[in-house]
Amino acid sequence: MENHPYFPFERIGHDLGRRMPPFSATNPDLLVKSAKTSQSLLLDVQKVMDILATSKPFANGLMTAAQASEKNLVADMIRKIGIKNEPDITYNPDGIRFDFHPKTGEINSHIIVSLKWRDS
């Protein structure tokens, strides 16, 4: 590989007699826990996306409330969809962002969804 024209660099590491330290043993417990938490979050994401995708009156009301900076009304509309994990919601003139995280306060996973409502 060293003679390949697209690999002009000298190989270093084990070629110089040095060994890379071994990786620590794997423990998938946290990864499994994060994935399980994410499954619950994805259900909430799906509920919110379903209502936004199928109800123009709801989408219009959400946009109107957000553009009027009625944060409590925006949060209440999302909460009334029937989700278990309330997202942090931010918006600007171009769109809205939902940051779904577990209500238990765990920080092992979160899902961010950003949606545009205006071309800039």
Side-chain angles (χ1 to χ4, degrees), residues 4 13 15 19 21 24 34 48-49 54 56 59 63 66 70-71 73 77 81 86 95 97 106 111 117:
H4 194 280
D15 288 346
R19 295 189 56 113
S24 59
S34 296
V48 173
M49 296 307 109
T54 61
K56 281 189 180 183
M63 288 176 66
E70 296 181 22
K71 293 180 180 184
L73 179 55
M77 289 178 71
I81 293 172
E86 187 176 336
R97 173 184 156 136
E106 296 178 44
I111 298 172
W117 59 41

Side-chain angles (χ1 to χ4, degrees), residues 40-96:
S40 171
L41 296 176
L42 283 170
L43 293 174
D44 288 341
V45 170
Q46 187 67 50
K47 285 181 182 180
V48 173
M49 296 307 109
D50 283 347
I51 193 77
L52 288 172
T54 61
S55 175
K56 281 189 180 183
F58 183 90
N60 185 59
L62 187 73
M63 288 176 66
T64 301
Q67 290 176 344
S69 295
E70 296 181 22
K71 293 180 180 184
N72 290 335
L73 179 55
V74 170
D76 193 46
M77 289 178 71
I78 297 300
R79 192 178 309 110
K80 286 181 178 178
I81 293 172
I83 57 177
K84 295 179 182 175
N85 301 283
E86 187 176 336
D88 292 329
I89 305 169
T90 55
Y91 38 84
N92 60 43
D94 296 329
I96 190 164

Side-chain angles (χ1 to χ4, degrees), residues 31-43:
L31 179 59
V32 169
K33 182 179 178 183
S34 296
K36 286 180 181 179
T37 300
S38 292
Q39 287 176 320
S40 171
L41 296 176
L42 283 170
L43 293 174

